[in-house]
Amino acid sequence: MRLSAWVHGQVQGVGFRWWTRSRALELGLNGYARNSADGRVHVVAEGSRANCDRLLALLRSGTTPGRVDLVVESWETPRGDVTGFEER
């Protein structure tokens, strides 16, 4: 599966992308976490549905750096265009 999650809140400049990368790598996911100009972080992760669900639960867990107010996710067919997990 391919998870696309837009994370709203105070999530830039607080180590959020690094934290997300660490969790994704622990789960064996490929993808990236990228800051957007409007203050959100876009997380894209590919791997098993179960591990993508685990990452989504972690994003919503309240244990992230900063403050997450809302996570809006969508599910797509994996593209296979990402290897490893990057902070962008």
Side-chain angles (χ1 to χ4, degrees):
M1 284 309 293
R2 182 180 178 104
L3 166 66
S4 175
W6 288 94
V7 184
H8 301 244
Q10 184 185 347
V11 290
Q12 291 190 11
V14 293
F16 184 86
R17 290 177 302 146
W18 177 88
W19 181 90
T20 301
R21 178 180 179 270
S22 296
R23 302 297 78 78
L25 290 172
E26 289 169 359
L27 293 167
L29 299 171
N30 294 314
Y32 58 86
R34 177 180 62 209
N35 285 342
S36 68
D38 62 7
R40 297 178 297 169
V41 170
H42 186 207
V43 177
V44 172
E46 288 191 359
S48 72
R49 175 67 189 237
N51 284 344
C52 287
D53 278 332
R54 287 183 185 100
L55 180 61
L56 184 59
L58 287 166
L59 294 175
R60 292 179 167 148
S61 68
T63 61
T64 67
R67 185 192 75 248
V68 174
D69 295 332
L70 175 69
V71 179
V72 179
E73 87 273 7
S74 61
W75 297 94
E76 305 169 8
T77 302
R79 299 179 193 166
D81 59 348
V82 288
T83 55
F85 202 94
E86 300 177 354
E87 294 174 58
R88 295 186 177 172

